[in-house]
Amino acid sequence: MLVECYDEKGAEVYELIIKQIFQDLVLGPSVDDLRAFVDPDGPVFILAIKTKKTSSEIKLDEVANLMYNEEENVTKIFIQNENYLPNLLKKLWFMYPREEIYQPNRYEVDLDGDQTDLKDLVIDSPHSNLQRRLYDAIFRILPEGFRIIKDISRDNIVAVVATDELIKDAWLEKAEVYIEELR
């Protein structure tokens, strides 16, 4: 972890803030390295975080069996791993009206029509979940009033430049240097 600031005490304070927030959100084990630049007089805050590799996405056919019943014109989803049931229901409620989703028991979900193409539906994405948690941490870390934010994240590096003014090219260039250092 590297926190740069023209004020040594300011850098120490921000390092403590970052560590505390990462500890509160249990992000430490998921983060490989971090670079931060703080200049309250600039005013700019740059943060680049390299994450560790996450497990792959979980698709519906990995946690459930799908069967289409032609006579009833219903697709039955038989849950094999009920840990993913809340994620499945959330996805289905987003895709279909709730009255079209019938759950006779906790191991079965019925949908009208032939919905067997849902077998490739992503039920859980650890990478997306980690990124969501990192953005939560970033918004807690950012100085109060820094509402102009440019996200320049890529691959497994989450990077933002924040200020309360117009973002300068020099700040974006510094963020790019951090991204390259973390690769």
Side-chain angles (χ1 to χ4, degrees), residues 123-177:
I123 299 301
D124 188 34
S125 173
H127 180 72
S128 295
N129 295 342
L130 175 58
Q131 279 195 321
R132 212 173 6 263
R133 291 175 46 226
L134 280 173
Y135 283 113
D136 179 24
I138 289 168
F139 289 118
R140 293 177 190 211
I141 294 167
L142 289 177
E144 191 74 28
F146 280 39
R147 299 284 181 230
I148 299 172
I149 301 168
K150 173 98 174 162
D151 184 355
I152 55 172
S153 302
R154 50 185 79 100
D155 301 325
N156 64 330
I157 298 174
V158 177
V160 297
V161 177
T163 184
D164 66 353
E165 299 179 351
L166 291 175
I167 294 177
K168 297 178 182 175
D169 289 337
W171 298 340
L172 293 172
E173 290 167 11
K174 183 150 187 83
E176 291 294 339
V177 168

Side-chain angles (χ1 to χ4, degrees), residues 2-169:
L2 171 69
V3 179
E4 289 184 274
C5 183
Y6 67 86
D7 177 14
E8 194 175 308
K9 290 287 184 196
E12 289 175 13
V13 168
Y14 259 100
E15 188 172 335
L16 281 172
I17 290 170
I18 291 168
K19 284 180 179 178
Q20 184 63 51
I21 289 172
F22 276 30
Q23 183 179 351
D24 291 349
L25 298 176
V26 194
L27 284 169
S30 304
V31 172
D32 213 13
D33 203 358
L34 176 144
R35 300 282 185 274
F37 176 74
V38 186
D39 183 0
D41 294 334
V44 64
F45 187 88
I46 301 169
L47 188 59
I49 305 166
K50 181 179 181 181
T51 62
K52 293 182 180 174
K53 298 286 184 207
T54 58
S55 53
S56 58
E57 296 177 331
I58 305 294
K59 295 186 179 179
L60 179 58
D61 67 346
E62 296 175 58
V63 297
N65 291 322
L66 281 83
M67 286 181 40
Y68 175 61
N69 183 327
E70 259 184 81
E71 291 175 13
E72 297 177 19
N73 193 29
V74 170
T75 299
K76 294 188 175 289
I77 302 172
F78 298 101
I79 309 300
Q80 294 172 319
N81 186 339
E82 68 179 297
N83 292 330
Y84 294 98
L85 182 59
N87 292 4
L88 171 62
L89 289 173
K90 185 177 178 182
K91 294 268 186 180
L92 292 176
W93 290 333
F94 182 75
M95 297 168 62
Y96 303 100
R98 286 191 184 215
E99 59 271 5
E100 290 183 19
I101 301 168
Y102 177 65
Q103 187 180 6
N105 61 56
R106 70 185 212 202
Y107 297 106
E108 184 181 339
V109 177
D110 296 343
L111 300 171
D112 291 336
D114 183 359
Q115 306 295 336
T116 52
D117 58 329
L118 290 176
K119 67 181 186 324
D120 292 325
L121 178 69
V122 175
I123 299 301
D124 188 34
S125 173
H127 180 72
S128 295
N129 295 342
L130 175 58
Q131 279 195 321
R132 212 173 6 263
R133 291 175 46 226
L134 280 173
Y135 283 113
D136 179 24
I138 289 168
F139 289 118
R140 293 177 190 211
I141 294 167
L142 289 177
E144 191 74 28
F146 280 39
R147 299 284 181 230
I148 299 172
I149 301 168
K150 173 98 174 162
D151 184 355
I152 55 172
S153 302
R154 50 185 79 100
D155 301 325
N156 64 330
I157 298 174
V158 177
V160 297
V161 177
T163 184
D164 66 353
E165 299 179 351
L166 291 175
I167 294 177
K168 297 178 182 175
D169 289 337

